[in-house]
Amino acid sequence: MIDVTAAAQHRYTVNLSILFSELPLLERPAAAAAAGFTAAELWWPFGESATPSEAELDALRKAFTDAGVRLTGLNFLDDLSLGVRGTVSVPAAKDRFRANVPVAAELAASLGTKALNALYGNRVEGVDPAEQDALALENLVLAARAAHEIGAILLIEALNKPESPDYPLVSAAAAVEVVDKVNAATGLGNAKFLCDLYHLAMNGEDLAAVIDTYADRFGHVQIADNPGRNEPGTGGLDFEDLFARLTAAGYTGRIGLEYRPSTGVSADSFEWLPRELRSAG
């Protein structure tokens, strides 16, 4: 179990797109509540549908409100179910992404969600990277403004190159550069870096240096152990040190549990985190 002193300085949210995935989506908020969590986050939960029906949206809202779990983070249309790493920079997805922005923002507003994540998207063969980057900036500006209207932040994430070889943001510096461009374009200052320590570790980054250098840009932190992308304690990352560094750097946001349970049973993967700390979402 992680040292309680280090872990207790932070608040936690459970990612219901990767944890409790052995259950139907609408049963996951209740399962999270049964495990002691009061906050959760989601990748875009409607597959490739950018504009799900009101009945689908209402069912998801009801699942969270009935369970007493707050949705604290939500992805814009990401096409992860299709093996894609986001739609922001993909020309063929331009209309779908833009149709999704108000839908995702309205869903977030209705559940009190204050963080919206926009995955950048893979490089597309035959398309000039500069063209993709220009489109990404246009789309991220739209997303940042939509987030601002509901009092939320926009998150921009780096992924790891071994698992996402066509995704261009594979370092903290690359993601922060995009964050800065969005904030310069909007003047809103609500674009932030989603620091996923697993992805950065997979890329070989010095996690302590990332925290020390960029903590003031963090809008959210996500964790999984490395290697394996399982719960803390199953790999080689020193979470006691990382939690302490986040505290020392002044990070006060949530830490998202975005890992696969090592046994395949989500409810058994939380022993490292005392139950009394799970509800501090």
Side-chain angles (χ1 to χ4, degrees), residues 123-129 131-132:
R123 290 303 192 204
V124 179
E125 186 175 357
V127 179
D128 184 349
E131 178 185 339
Q132 285 196 253

Side-chain angles (χ1 to χ4, degrees), residues 15-267:
N15 189 298
L16 296 184
S17 294
I18 191 169
L19 280 158
F20 296 106
S21 60
E22 63 268 31
L23 299 174
L25 174 64
L26 298 182
E27 296 179 17
R28 296 176 202 173
F37 292 95
T38 58
E41 58 193 42
L42 283 172
W43 303 337
W44 180 244
F46 300 104
E48 60 186 301
S49 175
T51 55
S53 69
E54 280 303 316
E56 291 175 294
L57 293 166
D58 286 342
L60 185 65
R61 291 187 187 99
K62 187 174 187 300
F64 276 91
T65 55
D66 286 356
V69 173
R70 181 181 172 190
L71 183 68
T72 54
L74 176 68
N75 282 16
F76 286 108
L77 179 70
D78 51 34
D79 278 357
L80 288 174
S81 63
L82 303 178
V84 182
R85 298 295 186 264
T87 56
V88 168
S89 68
V90 180
K94 174 181 175 180
D95 292 341
R96 293 174 58 240
F97 177 81
R98 294 186 178 185
N100 175 252
V101 167
V103 176
E106 194 280 328
L107 176 61
S110 70
L111 289 170
T113 307
K114 297 301 182 182
L116 288 158
N117 184 26
L119 287 177
Y120 201 81
N122 291 339
R123 290 303 192 204
V124 179
E125 186 175 357
V127 179
D128 184 349
E131 178 185 339
Q132 285 196 253
D133 292 340
L135 175 62
L137 183 57
E138 291 178 11
N139 282 337
L140 290 169
V141 165
L142 293 173
R145 288 173 175 158
H148 177 74
E149 288 177 1
I150 64 168
I153 61 173
L154 173 70
L155 297 172
I156 297 167
E157 181 176 9
L159 301 184
N160 75 77
K161 193 168 184 64
E163 295 175 338
S164 305
D166 297 320
Y167 190 86
L169 307 184
V170 290
S171 70
V176 169
E177 182 180 2
V178 174
V179 166
D180 289 345
K181 288 179 179 179
V182 175
N183 286 332
T186 65
L188 297 173
N190 70 328
K192 302 288 184 178
F193 175 38
L194 195 170
C195 177
D196 187 310
L197 295 174
Y198 165 75
H199 286 303
L200 299 179
M202 281 282 286
N203 288 331
E205 290 214 46
D206 181 335
L207 300 184
V210 169
I211 293 170
D212 292 345
T213 303
Y214 297 117
D216 63 334
R217 312 290 190 86
F218 291 179
H220 187 42
V221 171
Q222 290 176 332
I223 63 169
D225 216 333
N226 181 54
R229 200 175 186 175
N230 302 131
E231 63 269 22
T234 57
L237 296 187
D238 185 346
F239 283 99
E240 291 181 17
D241 179 69
L242 292 170
F243 290 156
R245 286 182 180 275
L246 286 166
T247 300
Y251 179 71
T252 59
R254 294 179 174 85
I255 294 177
L257 311 185
E258 194 184 58
Y259 58 73
R260 299 184 182 93
S262 59
T263 66
V265 180
S266 296

